[in-house]
């Protein structure tokens, strides 16, 4: 599966406005166009951002799905309201799944109860071949510390065939997600074996699922 990890920078105080619009208008309509809205989140450390994750079967399906959705009536009717909340929507990592994230049954439109869980996504800039090292040297340490890895991704270097939506290029990343039942369960694990394997400092995103997120 192909994934996009999208991080929108929003105008101050507009995050909940966008999430309410997104969960009402853009979840089922994107999925009807051929993609899957895998996870939608609030980052408690960055209140004017909206991180979310969507998936496609492959690159040709991605192109067709994006053309269908962004050329369709729901986006056309709501794009001005959505875009009015945003400063930037171009921070997008195009990824290939090595292990798919978990998914639960999505609550219906109008649901307001927030899941108690928290995900932590770690984004590492790496050289090619990092995935095998992670599986053999890093994942066991995390698991022993009570931080099981629930999803893993690496950069998809295929051409972006829907250039209307830019993606980050010229970098190779490895991304893993850990899930905690509550924020109080979060653990930060020292991973000294990473120091010689990374080409930049890792980015750590603390992610609280929104009311209708499929990752809960």
């Amino acid at each position: 599966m192909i994934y996009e990890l999208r991080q929108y920078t929003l105008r101050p105080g507009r995050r909940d406005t966008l999430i309410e619009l997104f969960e009402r208008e853009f979840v089922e309509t994107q999925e009807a166009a051929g993609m899957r809205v895998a996870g939608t989140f609030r980052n408690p450390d960055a209140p004017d951002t909206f991180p979310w994750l969507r998936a496609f079967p492959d690159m040709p399906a991605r192109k067709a799905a994006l053309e269908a959705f962004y050329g369709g009536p729901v986006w056309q009717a709501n794009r001005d309201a959505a875009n009015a909340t945003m400063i930037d929507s171009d921070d997008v990592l195009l990824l290939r799944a090595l292990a798919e994230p978990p998914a639960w049954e999505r609550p219906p439109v109008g649901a307001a109860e927030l899941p108690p869980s928290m995900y932590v996504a770690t984004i590492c800039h790496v050289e090619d071949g990092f995935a095998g090292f992670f599986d053999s040297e890093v994942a066991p340490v995390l698991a022993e510390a009570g931080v099981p890895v629930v999803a893993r991704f690496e950069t998809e270097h295929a051409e972006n065939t829907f250039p209307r939506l830019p993606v980050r290029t010229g970098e190779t990343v490895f991304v893993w997600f850990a899930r905690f039942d509550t924020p109080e369960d979060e653990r930060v694990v020292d991973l000294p074996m990473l120091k010689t394997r990374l080409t930049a400092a890792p980015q750590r995103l603390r992610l609280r699922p929104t009311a209708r997120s499929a990752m809960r």
Side-chain angles (χ1 to χ4, degrees), residues 142-166:
L142 292 170
E144 185 175 355
V147 185
V149 176
V150 298
R152 307 189 315 280
F153 307 90
E154 62 183 6
T155 295
E156 171 56 63
H157 289 292
E159 178 187 359
N160 177 19
T161 52
F162 194 77
R164 177 176 163 187
L165 295 183

Side-chain angles (χ1 to χ4, degrees), residues 74-181:
V74 173
W75 176 249
Q76 298 299 319
N78 293 281
R79 64 182 180 182
D80 290 346
N83 289 334
T85 68
M86 301 180 198
I87 295 173
D88 177 74
S89 61
D90 293 348
D91 185 352
V92 181
L93 291 172
L94 188 61
L95 306 168
R96 179 174 295 276
L98 302 173
E100 301 286 343
W104 283 258
E105 183 176 354
R106 190 191 310 280
V109 173
E113 184 176 355
L114 299 176
S117 61
M118 185 175 74
Y119 288 83
V120 175
T122 304
I123 303 171
C124 293
H125 288 77
V126 300
E127 303 287 352
D128 289 338
F130 180 84
F133 166 78
F134 180 87
D135 288 347
S136 64
E137 302 295 332
V138 181
V141 174
L142 292 170
E144 185 175 355
V147 185
V149 176
V150 298
R152 307 189 315 280
F153 307 90
E154 62 183 6
T155 295
E156 171 56 63
H157 289 292
E159 178 187 359
N160 177 19
T161 52
F162 194 77
R164 177 176 163 187
L165 295 183
V167 301
R168 288 161 56 176
T169 59
E171 54 190 307
T172 298
V173 301
F174 183 92
V175 183
W176 79 82
F177 280 69
R179 181 186 180 278
F180 302 96
D181 289 337

Side-chain angles (χ1 to χ4, degrees), residues 10-29:
L10 307 179
R11 300 187 185 282
R14 301 303 302 278
R15 180 176 66 182
D16 287 349
T17 300
L18 177 60
I19 289 173
E20 190 278 330
L21 175 64
F22 190 101
E23 295 199 320
R24 187 183 72 239
E25 301 290 349
F26 297 151
V27 175
E28 282 77 9
T29 48

